[in-house]
């Protein structure tokens, strides 16, 4: 895992900081999230989420997934949310010590697996992509208040919430319309 120093104008690829596990290298990192002091990494092959101190580069905590596998994650000051598509779970942990808080089974009748991508806002709203490819679900951190957007006409490839200059937040969805025809929806 490489971390690069960034200013508001550019990323300096010459100032690189490498992260490795205390016991060796990552095998298959598929999800990464940062907060002010820590980097969180989902390693699909290790079947674990690893929390590392950014300044020291050492492992602080680890959560193992013996039955499933962690895929994507999102973090804010209080919570870490991890998707486990093999078990159809959305898992919530406290960031302080990675203590498990709760999970939500998000299996759909025709789902092969999911949830996939996830985003966590500062006010503890969780957005996640589930099956089918054009469905986006929104819940609070207690995993209540389900809102499902299933009328999105294209396949969702990824999404984020962007904050605009006037403190407005915009949901940005990257989607595939047809083979290799990509679009951003706001």
């Amino acid at each position: 895992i490489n971390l690069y120093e960034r200013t508001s104008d550019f990323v300096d690829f010459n100032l690189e900081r490498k992260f490795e596990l205390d016991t060796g290298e990552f095998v298959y990192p598929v999800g990464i999230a940062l907060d002010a002091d820590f980097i969180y990494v989902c390693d699909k092959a290790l079947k674990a989420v690893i929390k590392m101190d950014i300044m020291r580069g050492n492992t602080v905590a680890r959560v193992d997934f013996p039955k499933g596998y962690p895929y994507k994650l999102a973090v804010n000051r209080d919570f870490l949310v991890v998707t486990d598509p093999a078990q159809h779970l959305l898992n919530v942990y406290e960031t302080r010590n990675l203590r498990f808080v709760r999970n939500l089974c998000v299996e759909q009748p025709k789902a092969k697996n999911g949830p996939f991508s996830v985003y966590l806002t500062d006010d503890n709203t969780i957005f996640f992509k589930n099956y089918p490819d054009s469905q986006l679900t929104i819940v609070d951190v207690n995993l209540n208040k389900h809102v499902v957007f299933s009328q999105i006409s294209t396949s969702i490839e990824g999404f984020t919430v962007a904050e605009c200059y006037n403190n407005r937040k915009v949901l940005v969805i990257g989607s595939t319309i047809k083979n290799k025809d990509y679009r951003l929806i706001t």
Side-chain angles (χ1 to χ4, degrees), residues 56-73:
R56 294 185 184 95
N58 63 313
T59 302
V60 175
R62 177 181 173 140
V63 176
D64 291 303
F65 289 73
K67 293 182 181 178
Y69 62 87
Y71 188 62
K72 298 295 180 184
L73 48 79

Side-chain angles (χ1 to χ4, degrees), residues 18-158:
K18 293 184 182 217
F19 286 85
E20 292 184 0
L21 292 171
D22 298 340
T23 58
E25 295 184 1
F26 289 100
V27 179
Y28 192 177
V30 291
I32 298 173
L34 292 167
D35 65 16
D37 301 311
F38 301 99
I39 184 169
Y40 301 82
V41 181
C42 282
D43 193 301
K44 185 176 175 181
L46 296 175
K47 298 176 96 174
V49 171
I50 295 103
K51 177 181 178 181
M52 301 181 81
D53 185 299
I54 291 174
M55 297 306 292
R56 294 185 184 95
N58 63 313
T59 302
V60 175
R62 177 181 173 140
V63 176
D64 291 303
F65 289 73
K67 293 182 181 178
Y69 62 87
Y71 188 62
K72 298 295 180 184
L73 48 79
V75 66
N76 68 14
R77 69 186 172 281
D78 299 316
F79 297 102
L80 172 71
V81 179
V82 181
T83 65
D84 182 348
Q87 299 294 308
H88 305 285
L89 294 175
L90 192 66
N91 300 287
V92 179
Y93 299 88
E94 291 180 350
T95 54
R96 184 176 60 243
N97 54 11
L98 292 189
R99 184 181 68 83
F100 176 77
V101 177
R102 65 188 58 85
N103 64 21
L104 172 68
C105 182
V106 293
E107 187 171 4
Q108 301 293 325
K110 296 179 182 179
K112 295 175 184 166
N113 56 18
F116 299 102
S117 302
V118 65
Y119 185 88
L120 175 63
T121 65
D122 288 339
D123 66 352
N124 298 327
T125 301
I126 301 168
F127 294 76
F128 65 92
K129 174 187 165 188
N130 201 29
Y131 186 90
D133 288 341
S134 59
Q135 177 177 302
L136 190 64
T137 303
I138 303 171
V139 296
D140 66 14
V141 78
N142 295 313
L143 305 175
N144 298 317
K145 300 180 183 175
H146 292 245
V147 176
V148 179
F149 291 100
S150 57
Q151 294 79 22
I152 300 168
S153 61
T154 60
S155 177
I156 299 170
E157 295 297 321

